[in-house]
Amino acid sequence: MNVEGLLAQITALLVALAGAPLVMGWVNMCRAWLQNRAAPPLLQPFRLLHKLFWKESVIAHDASPLFRVAPYVVFGCMLLACMIIPTLSTNLPLAPAADAIALVGLFGLARLFISLAAMDIGTSFGTMGARREMLIGFLAEPAFLMVLFTASLISSSTSLATTVATLAHREFAIQPSLAFAGIAFTMVSLAENARVPVDNPATHLELTMIHEALILEYSGRHLALLEWAAALKLFAYSCAGLAIFFPWGIAEARDHVALLWALPALAVKLAVGGMALALIETILAKMRIFRVPEFLATAFLLGVLALLVHLLLGA
Amino acid sequence: MAQIASLLAIDGALIVVAGWLAIGVAGLAALHNVRLVGRLLFPLSALLSVALAGIALLALPGTPQTAVLAIGLPDLPFHLRLDALSAFFLALLGLASAGISVFAGGYFRQGEGTPPGLLCMHYHLFLASMALVLLADDAYAYMVTWEMMALASFFLVTTNHRIAEIRKAGYLYLLVAHVGAIAILLCFGVLQANTGDYTFANMRAQHLSPFWASCAFGLSLFGFGAKAGILPLHIWLPEAHPAAPSPVSALMSGVMLKTAVYGLIRVNFDLIATPLWWWGTIALGLGLATAIFGVVFAAAQVDMKRLLAYSSIENIGLIVVGLGLAIVFNAYRMDALAALALAASLYHCLNHALFKSLLFLGTGSVLHATHERSLGKLGGLMRFMPFVAWTTLVGVIASAGLPPSNGFVSEWLLLQSFLFTGELPNPYLRMLVPVFAAGVVLVAALAGYVMVKFFGVIFLGRPREEKLAQARDADGLERLGLAWLTAGCLLLGLFPVAVLEVIDPITVAMVGKGLAQSGHAGDWLMLAPVSAERASYSPLLFFLLTLSIVLVAFALVRRFYHGRVRRAAPWDCGFPMQTARMQDTAEGFGQPIRQIFEPFFRMRRELPSPFDSAPRYKVTVEDPMWAWVYLRIAAVTEAASRLVGLLQRGRISIYLLYSFVTLVALLSLTQL
Amino acid sequence: MSPLVGQVINLFAAVLLLIAFAMLAQRRIVTLIHLFALQGLALVGSTTTVAFATGQHHLYWSAGITFTLKVVILPLILHRLIRRLNVKWDIETLINIPTMMLVGILLVVFAFNLALPISQFSQSIARGTLGIALACVLMSFLMMITRSKAVPQVIGFLAMENGLFFAATSATYGMPMVVELGIALDVLVGMVILGVFMFQIREQFDSLDIHHLEKLKED
């Protein structure tokens, strides 16, 4: 591990911590513009986190230690995910700790802890949220893995750094398998990050909640950590998608000039992505919960199809 | 001196076996003395288990050792052999049974049907026969010890023989075990290729034609599959495992199923000279079907031990998938990849032995504390039984296959070996196998769902019955057993390269290449099967990074803000009434899976009508294999027996006629 | 031949495969017709690309006929038929959708391996796509088998013909003009006759459910 790598790793960490609420803020702004209302300021999520950290944490009488530990574990998992996905540079010394499959496992671990924490209090909304979250997870995880398998078959590696390096250096070619994988990835991201059409992040009706139902009993600093973790998850998924499907702009090792351009490139890509997300959320309506398995099964099949097309056509 | 030292390993194993048998007999002497049996005999046997594991691990890298025991018929002694494969499974037996025996010492109580001393004898006979199965080097020894294992486990399953259901479960278990044993016997018969010599050494030297080799493969898959619980011969597993006491369930699920896997590996990688690619494909397909079946049914269960039994079926399916992949690679002479797939299967065997035993033992503690097996009557036990809850959490994370646990490592290795199939020469396989990978991934995701249901309904939430408040946590010996298995799970998860180095001699012996030997397992920190650019995973780094982020976040939040907490009633969206019945039941949590996978189940539903004065909702989920396969076989058998029954006329003159006709027929045959 | 052309044809082939899967899973009949029109468009696109890359002018005529027939006329006829017969939904299929998807995937693998030796003989620039065309034919056939209303079966039959056309283009640069015109006429006439049949079935049984046809057997 050299100084350059260490610097790159710390930069990635700080960019993730600062950038995730910024991306959330940007998406909320775009959504407000599209809905023709006054937008909240860009830094509003930071104010929300600050406010929540100052508040007292109110916990139910029979909450177990698992309930209090879970927000920290979930935050830790999401931050680790952001640290190993190549956002600015592929020269991340900690990246070999987890490859693509381990990344999916990391998200699964976070999902397990938050579902168990939701079941801990023993209210009907908590268990409902846990059940729905595990349902979405069990369908979205295979779809995500299929997308990653397609990418890893193209680049002959499951290591994210190698995948980005290979995909960035190919000459431009229309690859139907990557197109299908991209559509599948978008569908999976929408489901996993609790966005419309799977879940409405701004809902107040309990029976329509999935992600909100999981964090219903949390308050104060625990809620702040969970909100930050949700923002980090969105950031991680966006960066993973950009790394696989739009890898231009990510710096390689020992490429100092590219490192200077990497941050503006990332900012531009995330801005465009955030606008696209807001557009999708405004155009589509939230689906019934019973239609979500079909939605995710379609994503899974698209992933398998992408794999098959890659094997059949070599493209 | 070196010769004595090298012979000591197999003799050491035999001494341990003799020790177990001695403990069993000692148990007979103290038939009703629970304290002696529990406090002295079982922990002693646990020490012997640890010794066995140590001996086996030391003997693993060495050359195979043989011994001949003059037990049995005058001309047919027992041939025994300790090579890398046997040593690995003996180590598995030792490690898992150490924890289980310690737990059992604190678990068995009076008045459960069988006296404790007799139970002790059955238990140690079971352990001893399993060890001998793993050591057997000829078909005779193998069959005798296999039979001993089946009988000992039958008596263990029917420990609480006063309950009729348990007797039925035991009977079914014995039936399927014997059907499998017949197939194994026939398999050995095919393998010895008419030479009359039933030793494994002779079978290794034979070269069977593809037809007979395929017969041997099919018979071995059927026979060992019956013991391992592969579809459709899994039918005894969900009945027998819940019926047995929890340590016995743990031993059966964790170790006995692995002896069947050992048999499969022994026959297909060692005794049959050249495997064919389509055997591997059959094993792949069957394994995947078993895995999907197991996990989907586990999601629909309401009895905690049945849930774990179906989860065992799922894991055996995954192990068979790995074996099938290894056979395919072996048939195409892609040795390095065969080694990867085989290593993944063996690793998963070890992992499953540890985490499944841990889960079963946890349910044993819960059962003793609450006397409830049904998930609908449990809940909120984390407050009353924290030790059991936290150790079970480790088992749950491992069973769900999440990092940094050991379950994730073996799944990771299996998925990596799937990704290499693009180099297969057969175009059909090259395209079909990644589709199988999709199935494996689906199984892994659903396993997470099942485990959240298991842990959440039992330990979290509010207690669904008032008597649960009197549940007491596990005591001394039980805690020791649970802690041993938890430590095993954690260590296996954090140091995978060390385990791979242990597995290496086995893959070298079976397929010719080893991962660590070819320098491709990575270093102590990082697991990298082919190269670090290709794929890498470092569980230690992963765990330490997550832990440090958690601790730093905790410290920073306390430093810059505060750590005040106030306790209050749950928010629950402001609902005024909160009772324990408002949580999800086990059926409720599994409802989405029941709805998505409806064609798999045979469901019977009783729905209340609006006019019922006491409305009831009931749903029973049954295994469709009963109706499709077993009841049909039973009907055909019955029809055939009725036809044969026509021979019985009741008149003496007819019976004399039978003898007369037979005599005339035989006499006319001598003319030809 | 620049590799871009090959990639564009691969893209059209992949889109065709996707549409075939989508038709297997679709329950709304109106969406089925739209998918069929999209399939026709993809076909036109790929034929035009092959024509442009290899300079075979009769393929431009083929593309034109395909466009008129499959993207404009046939969907119009089908829409009118549906409005008059008043069928919008086909809720039940004989086998459930995930199983059909699985069988579809297996068919794709099978068709592709079948076509492998043939496509090695062909000189056409799109020979990698012969397997996909065969798979589309088989999947449309599967769609015909597993539907319980008459209109989706007809659409399956038309989709099969689409697959055959794509197979012809990818293997041999299209069929002789006479054969093409003949097939086009056959399809058109077949549509008209099937339309008449559907009205007859409806009058006889008061529904377009093909299960009623089972009453016509000898007992």
Side-chain angles (χ1 to χ4, degrees), chain B residues 153-403:
Chain B
S153 51
F154 167 73
F155 285 116
L156 283 172
V157 166
T158 52
T159 302
N160 303 355
H161 55 80
R162 300 208 179 109
I163 305 176
E165 222 172 57
I166 293 186
R167 288 199 302 269
K168 258 181 68 177
Y171 175 68
L172 183 63
Y173 168 54
L174 203 60
L175 188 64
V176 179
H178 280 98
V179 167
I182 295 176
I184 298 175
L185 191 59
L186 288 174
C187 174
F188 284 138
V190 168
L191 280 175
Q192 54 93 26
N194 254 339
T195 49
D197 181 2
Y198 280 87
T199 57
F200 284 2
N202 177 41
M203 292 183 195
R204 242 169 247 136
Q206 298 299 322
H207 288 280
L208 298 168
S209 69
F211 171 71
W212 283 115
S214 308
C215 281
F217 167 74
L219 284 169
S220 75
L221 195 62
F222 187 87
F224 290 114
K227 183 61 100 183
I230 302 180
L231 220 67
L233 296 155
H234 65 285
I235 206 88
W236 59 274
L237 238 162
E239 313 287 335
H241 279 67
S246 299
V248 174
S249 309
L251 207 54
M252 282 172 66
S253 198
V255 188
M256 191 183 75
L257 299 184
K258 309 304 177 305
T259 56
V261 175
Y262 162 80
L264 264 176
I265 301 181
R266 176 68 75 192
V267 167
N268 289 301
F269 284 93
D270 197 19
L271 296 181
I272 299 186
T274 43
L276 301 176
W277 67 270
W278 57 271
W279 299 353
T281 321
I282 292 181
L284 254 179
L286 205 54
L288 191 62
T290 311
I292 295 181
F293 184 87
V295 80
V296 165
F297 266 84
Q301 294 307 312
V302 297
D303 176 333
M304 59 181 177
K305 288 174 79 167
R306 266 183 94 100
L307 191 148
L308 291 178
Y310 275 110
S311 172
S312 292
I313 298 180
E314 170 226 331
N315 281 293
I316 290 288
L318 285 179
I319 294 173
V320 172
V321 164
L323 285 183
L325 206 57
I327 295 180
V328 168
F329 283 136
N330 200 15
Y332 285 117
R333 296 269 147 249
M334 300 163 84
D335 292 335
L337 298 174
L340 183 61
L342 189 59
S345 274
L346 289 170
Y347 207 133
H348 200 69
C349 282
L350 189 56
N351 287 339
H352 183 244
L354 289 181
F355 69 65
K356 196 38 77 66
S357 310
L358 181 58
L359 287 173
F360 264 114
L361 295 184
T363 61
S365 290
V366 168
L367 192 55
H368 258 198
T370 62
H371 301 286
E372 282 295 343
R373 235 168 67 184
S374 160
L375 286 170
K377 304 248 176 74
L378 294 169
L381 287 175
M382 192 169 222
R383 250 197 305 165
F384 310 114
M385 309 175 68
F387 189 86
V388 174
W390 284 105
T391 46
T392 312
L393 183 64
V394 173
V396 158
I397 296 181
S399 181
L402 295 171

Side-chain angles (χ1 to χ4, degrees), chain B residues 75-202:
Chain B
D75 271 332
L76 279 175
F78 274 16
H79 289 96
L80 300 172
R81 186 167 186 257
L82 180 66
D83 64 353
L85 188 64
S86 318
F88 179 77
F89 280 94
L90 277 175
L92 192 156
L93 170 64
L95 287 172
S97 63
I100 299 175
S101 300
V102 168
F103 184 91
Y107 183 82
F108 288 120
R109 314 261 164 93
Q110 278 283 27
E112 285 188 336
T114 315
L118 195 57
L119 189 61
C120 173
M121 193 197 84
H122 291 147
Y123 187 90
H124 290 96
L125 200 60
F126 188 37
L127 283 178
S129 52
M130 276 200 285
L132 285 174
V133 163
L134 295 173
L135 284 172
D137 195 36
D138 73 286
Y140 170 62
Y142 199 96
M143 293 313 298
V144 170
T145 48
W146 189 265
E147 209 36 58
M148 240 164 67
M149 193 173 78
L151 283 177
S153 51
F154 167 73
F155 285 116
L156 283 172
V157 166
T158 52
T159 302
N160 303 355
H161 55 80
R162 300 208 179 109
I163 305 176
E165 222 172 57
I166 293 186
R167 288 199 302 269
K168 258 181 68 177
Y171 175 68
L172 183 63
Y173 168 54
L174 203 60
L175 188 64
V176 179
H178 280 98
V179 167
I182 295 176
I184 298 175
L185 191 59
L186 288 174
C187 174
F188 284 138
V190 168
L191 280 175
Q192 54 93 26
N194 254 339
T195 49
D197 181 2
Y198 280 87
T199 57
F200 284 2
N202 177 41

